[in-house]
Structures are given as structure tokens and as C-alpha cells.
Amino acid sequence: MSRRVALVGAGPGDPGLITLRGFELMCSADVVVADFLIDERLKQHIPRHVRIVDVGKRPGRNSMSQDAINAELVRLAQTHNLVVRLKGGDPFLFGRGGEEVDALLRAGISVEVVPGVSSALAGPAFAGIPVTHRGLADGFLVITGHRHADAPLDYDWRSLVGSGLTIVILMGVAHRKFIAQSLIEAGMDPATPVAAIESVAWLEERSIRTTLAGVADVALSSPAVMVVGRTAGLELPWKRSTTLAGFKIQLLRPFDPSDELALRLRDRGALVVQAPAIEVQDPSDGGAALRSAIAAIQEYDWLIFTSKNAVERVVKECHDLRSLAHVKIACIGTGTQAALGRHRIGCDLMPPDFVGESLVESFPPGQGRVLLPRARVGRDVVPHGIRAKGWSVDVVEAYQVDIGTPRITLDQARMMDLVIFTAASTVDAYRQQYPGVMPKYAVAIGSVTASRLRSAGVESVHMAREFSVDGILELVENLHASIETS
């Protein structure tokens, strides 16, 4: 297989903005060389075995020079089949992608370039600004507001003004006063609308409306996209047309790109951050106990699943699902039931409330054997309660959970409007990940989780009437509506 480097435009933040080809390459890479402006929400999709090399340039910190980055790409390409250079926005729009391609080609390395969505277009679009609009602007220009080595911004300002086109400025926050003065001196009306969009498609995204005369006096932070022209006076608030528009929700359960709750929340306009409080790890014995139990599955009458993680571990060890034909299956929660369904496995018993106490209450008395594969550490309500009904219960470690690495900063955690806690363990982990941060609103899956939140001092704790995706969606939408009207 020939060695190659792919320059992939990651888009400006939201992982949904990367192209399909870019995503395919990122997920099949041997190593990913990432910019600073690559959102953690996108990095979560990179397989765990893939090495990530950070070459991002950060303001005020020593960073790799472009020549050093070029050399690193060449070096990595010589020892890996596929190196993905993951760049914010588009590789060839002020991203120095051309310099990297040139260096790679001169070194005899095959290159693929995957264009990306630029903040020059995404920023205005998210702010409800079309960069072209019939009767207002027949085209647009993209210019940089900061040149290499602080070279002067010696544009032909009169030509820019005379074009009548929308002007999109990247990296221009620091020089916005000079840019505005230059445009006004070249004949542009000081009252010309200006929009600035900070941190496009990130959690911190913010839009500011002003005029050319006033842009120097408004507080702006980098990175920001500035839009100058008549279209900047438009505001097509498409984001506010959804029921959860702009609602920032943190989901704490282990990351799953196909998580139904996360997907349906996004469909309603919520900004969902899948920042797991816990991470699922292999069992401490390497799976020996679980393999032994599955090998003897004929000896069991019931198989109980309390999480979808246990389902996946059991299915992985069960090489022929026909061996489960005689076993009755109980599970807690629609998520667990859905995991069984993905493997064409039915469920004989699911309690009305998705907690261990309800399962014990619903479970029939008997004298046979029950297998309970679960996390290494868990509540003993289910095994103790079922044993009290006459059954012999074998609790087997199927996986273990550790506190996850924080995916967002403390400041970002404070920005979240709502945090969804899926188990009592996520409450404890959250407090360790984000010390001193108190959720504004919390949704608890189960009474045990709700009790743990209240004991931790969280004041606004809410529980769905039904612990299902539909039940949580209904609760979140009602809660959002009440906040909006309060």
C-alpha cells in the first residue's frame, strides 16, 4: 500500500460539518496531525488506536513553525500508510495547506486534498446572513485581516468598496479599527452594516451586530468572522425555528456516535456535547469470567442486562446466539432493549420503571439460576432482591468504568444550560471532572441518580415521567419552554 498524506478540511467546529470523505479518511488513518482549532466533539470520532499529534498554533504560546510542521508531515508519511492532516475550515483558505502540499510533493509523497467548510461561509450562515442576496450583493470577497509577519494590509480599498460585494474578513479582530477606517476613507458609508461571529460552530459562538463606524468600539474576541456590506443587515433567524434552538446540553454517558438521544436533540436545534463522565473499559480479568459464564450458558434460566454496555460484551463473547434460545432475558431501560434489538435478541421482561428496584419487584419467584453480567462495581439491589425471591444469582464482571478525561473546559462546562446524568456514578465523576461547577439544570435518569444530585447540592433536578428517549425529549422540551418564558 502506498504511503500518503490527506489534507482534510475539518470545518469550523461542529463535527457535523466535516465532509463524508474527510470523515472516512480521519477514521481510517494511522495518525492524525491536528490543528488547535479542531473541536473535541470531532476528535471523539477518531478511533482510540489512532495516534493524534497536536501541532496547533496557540496565541501567546510557543508553537511549531510551519517549516517544522511540514517536516513532521514528511517524517510521519515515511513510516505510516495514511497520515491525515486535520485542518480547521478549508485547507487552502488561509490554512497554509498549499505550503504543506508543496513540501510533501517535493518529498515524493502522495497527497490527497479534501476541501472543508470554511468559517467564511459557515459564520454568516449560522448568523442568518446570506453572503449573496438578490438586489443586495451579487458576490462576495474573502480577505485576511492579518498578514504574515505583520505585513501591512495594503489592499486596493477603493476597488473593494467599488465592487459592491459583501466583504468577509477572517483574522481581522485585532486590526478592525484600521480596516474600518480604510473602507470609510475609500468611500464606504460609515453606517454600512457589520456582523461579527465569534467562535463559529463552537460552544462559545456569539453574533454581534454593529456598523462600520462602530465596529472598533464593540468588544470582540478571536477567532471571529466579520461580514461587511448590505447583506450583513439581514437576519434570517433559521436557528430559532426549532424547539430547542441554541439550548446547550451536556450528555454524560459513554460516547456513541449513533446515540439516539443525542441525534434527536440535535434535530430539535440543541447544541449537544457528548462529554462522557465515565469511560467503559475492558474487565479487570480480561473477560475470563464472562467467557466462562457464557460457555456454561445452558445452565442458566435467566440472563439480566442492566445496561447496553453489558449487552455488547456478552454478544461479543457469545459466538453462536442460538445458545441463548432457552434463556429468558430481562433488561432495564429502552436503551438496553434497543441494544438487544440491534442483535435481533428479544426481551422477556422489562420493568415499568427503569431502575433496579422495579426489576426486582417485577421479577418472578423461582429456584433456578440467573446470570447478571454488569460493571465491576455496581449497586447490589438487583442481585440481593432476586436472591430473596429464591433464585441463585451469579454476578459476573463484563466491563469496568473509569472517570473519563474531561472533553470540555471548566468555562465551557459552566456555559451548559442542561446536563443529563444517566447514573449515580456520572454524578460523582462529573464533580471530579469539573470541580466547583454546578449544573444550572439537571435531568436525572432514575431516582437514585436524582437523590445523588440533590445531595451534591444541585437545586434544579428533573426526572422524566418515562425513562426513554421520548420521555427525556418531552421533559427537555418542556423545561426549555419554561425557561424561555420565565
Side-chain angles (χ1 to χ4, degrees):
M1 182 177 180
S2 62
R3 304 187 190 282
R4 73 192 197 281
V5 175
L7 269 71
V8 173
D14 188 325
L17 298 179
I18 193 172
T19 64
L20 179 58
R21 178 57 177 164
F23 189 85
E24 291 171 346
L25 288 167
M26 182 185 74
C27 292
S28 57
D30 299 302
V31 59
V32 171
V33 181
D35 274 347
F36 170 56
L37 291 177
I38 302 297
D39 199 303
E40 283 292 331
R41 291 172 294 168
L42 178 59
K43 287 184 179 179
Q44 285 185 112
H45 291 272
I46 300 174
R48 287 191 176 188
H49 68 274
V50 177
R51 177 187 170 201
I52 300 177
V53 177
D54 181 4
V55 297
K57 295 181 176 65
R58 293 163 172 79
R61 289 180 54 180
N62 292 328
S63 303
M64 291 181 70
S65 68
Q66 188 59 53
D67 287 342
I69 293 173
N70 296 348
E72 179 71 358
L73 289 173
V74 171
R75 186 187 70 80
L76 290 169
Q78 292 169 343
T79 55
H80 297 84
N81 288 326
L82 176 59
V83 177
V84 166
R85 174 70 169 108
L86 200 58
K87 300 177 74 67
D90 179 88
F92 282 179
L93 186 59
F94 305 135
R96 297 189 177 181
E99 297 175 41
E100 294 176 4
V101 170
D102 182 54
L104 290 163
L105 291 177
R106 283 190 284 105
I109 296 166
S110 298
V111 178
E112 178 178 353
V113 176
V114 181
V117 176
S118 170
S119 61
L121 291 175
F126 285 174
I129 300 169
V131 291
T132 65
H133 194 77
R134 188 166 57 179
L136 295 180
D138 295 328
F140 68 98
L141 301 165
V142 181
I143 65 173
T144 178
H146 177 80
R147 285 182 170 166
H148 179 62
D150 289 324
L153 296 174
D154 53 354
Y155 293 110
D156 184 343
W157 297 103
R158 288 194 179 277
S159 294
L160 292 180
V161 173
S163 71
L165 304 178
T166 303
I167 302 173
V168 180
I169 306 163
L170 303 182
M171 300 177 287
V173 170
H175 297 118
R176 64 188 184 277
K177 182 177 181 179
F178 173 79
I179 293 169
Q181 287 177 340
S182 298
L183 290 170
I184 291 172
E185 290 171 2
M188 186 173 282
D189 186 346
T192 298
V194 174
I197 306 95
E198 296 177 347
S199 302
V200 175
W202 284 61
L203 296 178
E204 298 88 346
E205 181 181 294
R206 184 174 74 111
S207 297
I208 300 98
R209 303 291 182 134
T210 183
T211 63
L212 197 60
V215 70
D217 298 321
V218 298
L220 288 181
S221 299
S222 295
V225 177
M226 293 190 294
V227 186
V228 181
R230 288 190 292 172
T231 65
L234 296 176
E235 186 172 6
L236 306 175
W238 60 269
K239 281 189 173 182
R240 294 202 292 271
S241 65
T242 51
T243 56
L244 295 176
F247 204 42
K248 296 181 177 68
I249 300 175
Q250 184 174 357
L251 188 57
L252 296 180
R253 60 188 176 197
F255 176 73
D256 180 356
S258 60
D259 190 301
E260 183 185 1
L261 178 58
L263 293 174
R264 291 178 66 182
L265 286 168
R266 288 192 184 104
D267 287 343
R268 287 156 173 77
L271 200 164
V272 180
V273 177
Q274 291 173 267
I278 57 175
E279 293 180 349
V280 177
Q281 307 287 351
D282 291 335
S284 58
D285 64 354
L290 182 60
R291 281 192 293 274
S292 177
I294 296 301
I297 194 66
Q298 297 293 334
E299 301 175 11
Y300 292 96
D301 302 282
W302 280 89
L303 178 56
I304 296 176
F305 292 104
T306 57
S307 75
K308 64 180 182 180
N309 299 313
V311 172
E312 301 304 329
R313 297 286 170 157
V314 167
V315 170
K316 181 180 177 181
E317 298 294 346
C318 188
H319 303 296
D320 187 345
L321 292 179
R322 289 177 297 180
S323 63
L324 302 179
H326 74 289
V327 183
K328 289 187 177 182
I329 293 177
C331 72
I332 296 179
T334 54
T336 308
Q337 185 181 39
L340 287 166
R342 285 194 290 271
H343 297 288
R344 301 295 190 268
I345 301 174
C347 178
D348 299 288
L349 173 63
M350 186 168 71
D353 296 322
F354 302 160
V355 291
E357 289 82 353
S358 184
L359 175 63
V360 170
E361 184 177 346
S362 303
F363 208 82
Q367 297 181 342
R369 296 185 65 186
V370 175
L371 177 61
L372 173 58
R374 68 172 198 185
R376 181 182 183 184
V377 177
R379 298 172 65 225
D380 289 326
V381 169
V382 171
H384 286 173
I386 293 178
R387 286 182 184 124
K389 290 193 167 186
W391 297 94
S392 172
V393 181
D394 292 339
V395 178
V396 176
E397 179 187 347
Y399 60 95
Q400 53 184 336
V401 294
D402 292 329
I403 296 175
T405 302
R407 294 288 181 176
I408 58 177
T409 65
L410 286 173
D411 286 341
Q412 289 173 327
R414 293 186 184 97
M415 293 171 57
M416 305 310 297
D417 299 303
L418 173 71
V419 183
I420 299 178
F421 293 85
T422 53
S425 60
T426 63
V427 179
D428 301 331
Y430 179 90
R431 296 177 68 190
Q432 292 189 49
Q433 287 179 321
Y434 311 106
V437 178
M438 193 66 68
K440 300 173 187 174
Y441 297 92
V443 168
I445 309 301
S447 56
V448 176
T449 306
S451 177
R452 189 73 59 87
L453 281 165
R454 292 189 183 99
S455 65
V458 180
E459 296 180 358
S460 185
V461 179
H462 304 265
M463 285 177 52
R465 288 183 297 177
E466 177 184 325
F467 298 138
S468 64
V469 170
D470 287 335
I472 296 170
L473 284 172
E474 180 185 16
L475 170 63
V476 172
E477 288 185 317
N478 291 338
L479 181 59
H480 179 256
S482 67
I483 293 171
E484 288 288 286
T485 56
S486 63

